[in-house]
Structure formats: C-alpha cells, structure tokens
Amino acid sequence: MGSINDQTMDAKRLRDSGIRPTSHRLTLMRLIREGGRRHLTPESFHRELEDSGKHMSLATVYNTLNQLSDGGILRRVGFGERTYFCTNPSEHHHFFDETTGRIEDIP
C-alpha cells in the first residue's frame, strides 16, 4: 500500500499533466509506480488490477492508460496491431522479440 505522500505525489503528477486525479486514476498510478519500469497492455494491466483485488472495467483501464499517455506520464508504443504502454516516458527505443512478445528498452 502506498503512503499518503506517494498518493499526494501521484495526484500532483496527474494535475501537472492536465488530468483530474480521480480515485481510479490514483489507483492505476499507484500500481504503475509500484510495478517499476515495464511495458503494459491494457489487458495485462487489467488482469494485474483484478489479481490485486481492484475491480475496474477494461474500458476504464484502456481510457486511463490513453489519458496517461496523452499527458506524458506513459509512452504509447505500437508493434503491429498491438499497443503497449511504457512506464518510462523519456525518449528511447525498444526491442521487440517476435517469438516471445517481450519488449525491452534500449537506452
């Protein structure tokens, strides 16, 4: 569970990106922060939410990840027809392993 200070920082980061900090958005921000650097699909992140006992529609997850990407908090990365959300929003390249579906950051 995140501290009050972490939640305050998440709310500030959302506001600074022009996004209203709702309870759903703060929950997603906490899970993104606690998960470290990685590449999310809306479906995999939705499963992660469900596994942690948080219930939210897949549509809400899709919409929120897109809002976070539009706000510069996440970075949208496309490979073929798949869209991933990278938790490292800085400019960098990616390596995609077609066999495993794994994505790696290339600094």
Side-chain angles (χ1 to χ4, degrees):
M1 181 106 172
S3 71
I4 297 296
N5 190 42
D6 288 336
Q7 187 173 4
T8 300
M9 294 303 292
D10 289 343
K12 180 181 181 341
R13 190 167 180 206
L14 286 169
R15 279 192 297 276
D16 289 349
S17 296
I19 302 168
R20 190 168 56 91
T22 64
S23 62
H24 281 149
R25 292 177 186 142
L26 288 169
T27 296
L28 293 177
M29 287 289 290
R30 181 179 57 79
L31 289 174
I32 289 168
R33 178 177 27 79
E34 290 175 353
R37 296 278 165 115
R38 59 203 168 123
H39 301 88
L40 308 164
T41 64
E43 296 85 3
S44 69
F45 196 48
H46 184 257
R47 275 191 306 276
E48 189 177 317
L49 280 165
E50 293 289 319
D51 290 347
S52 73
K54 307 292 182 205
H55 302 287
M56 179 176 313
S57 74
L58 182 57
T60 298
V61 172
Y62 266 96
N63 291 336
T64 304
L65 290 175
N66 278 306
Q67 289 171 337
L68 296 176
S69 177
D70 292 344
I73 294 171
L74 298 176
R75 185 170 184 211
R76 193 178 293 114
V77 180
F79 287 101
E81 294 183 16
R82 295 290 305 161
T83 299
Y84 297 84
F85 292 89
C86 181
T87 59
N88 176 4
S90 66
E91 190 64 35
H92 63 281
H93 297 280
H94 294 91
F95 172 78
F96 179 68
D97 184 330
E98 292 179 354
T99 304
T100 64
R102 187 170 171 87
I103 300 174
E104 296 289 334
D105 287 349
I106 301 173

